[in-house]
Amino acid sequence: GLDQQAIVSYFNSVADSPWAPFAEVAVFVTLALNGFPQALLYAGTVAVFGAVLGMAYALLATMISATATYFLGRRLGAQWVKKISGGHAQTMIRVMRNRGLLAAMFVRWTPSAPFIVINSVCGAAAMPLWKFIVGTSIGTLPKLALIAFFTEQLDDIGRFLTRGDTSSILTLLGLAVAWIGFIFFCRWLYKRLRSTSLAGLAPRTEI
């Protein structure tokens, strides 16, 4: 089956090609339609292209795939989105329509729905495209940056675990603190959303 190793192998095969950015975008758009986890795509991209170029490629590909599925929702409408969302579309559409940019940003940080559903809901809600793009960009960057940083440190983590090399211990501790902090922030935000006008983005389940 398709997993992170398969993604890395494919990206490695096109890494030196001038068509690499286009191949990256094609993979993101195709897998977005199948609900493939974005985090694995981010990690695979950074592992092959490095932190800076990998982040740039991943962000570009994310925004293009997000916009493509946004227009899919806008074209096919609320009834289609309802079918792929498991019945939560109407509430999410209402929140997206009323809260716009803020909702497009916060929904990336909470366990709300798959990537394709979120983007299609924004399209079905007729959210202005600029609000969708700005909100999605801001919402995507923190998670992408943390995944990129973590992926770049895998060699240091391996040396620490296998040989007890402590030369990068401060970096690893900083990474652990940042990741735990982000998780707690998402948990706090999730609980806050459930008591605000953005409540439709936070299903009534605990995390």
Side-chain angles (χ1 to χ4, degrees), residues 53-124:
L53 190 58
M55 276 189 63
Y57 281 174
L59 182 61
L60 173 65
T62 296
M63 294 312 302
I64 292 175
S65 60
T67 303
T69 45
Y70 163 91
F71 278 113
L72 198 61
R74 191 151 190 164
R75 177 70 179 85
L76 298 179
Q79 288 304 312
W80 176 76
V81 175
K82 185 177 180 180
K83 289 181 181 178
I84 66 170
S85 69
H88 301 296
Q90 283 304 127
T91 302
M92 293 183 71
I93 287 173
R94 185 178 67 252
V95 174
M96 291 295 184
R97 185 174 290 138
N98 293 337
R99 305 301 294 180
L101 190 154
L102 197 63
M105 179 176 66
F106 282 170
V107 75
R108 309 294 167 177
W109 300 338
T110 58
S112 50
F115 185 74
I116 183 175
V117 173
I118 293 170
N119 303 324
S120 299
V121 163
C122 292

Side-chain angles (χ1 to χ4, degrees), residues 42 59-60 62-64 66-67 101 104-105 108-109 129-144:
Y42 296 159
L59 182 61
L60 173 65
T62 296
M63 294 312 302
I64 292 175
T67 303
L101 190 154
M105 179 176 66
R108 309 294 167 177
W109 300 338
L129 182 60
W130 75 266
K131 290 186 178 182
F132 172 76
I133 290 175
V134 172
T136 300
S137 299
I138 296 173
T140 298
L141 274 171
K143 181 167 65 175
L144 175 55

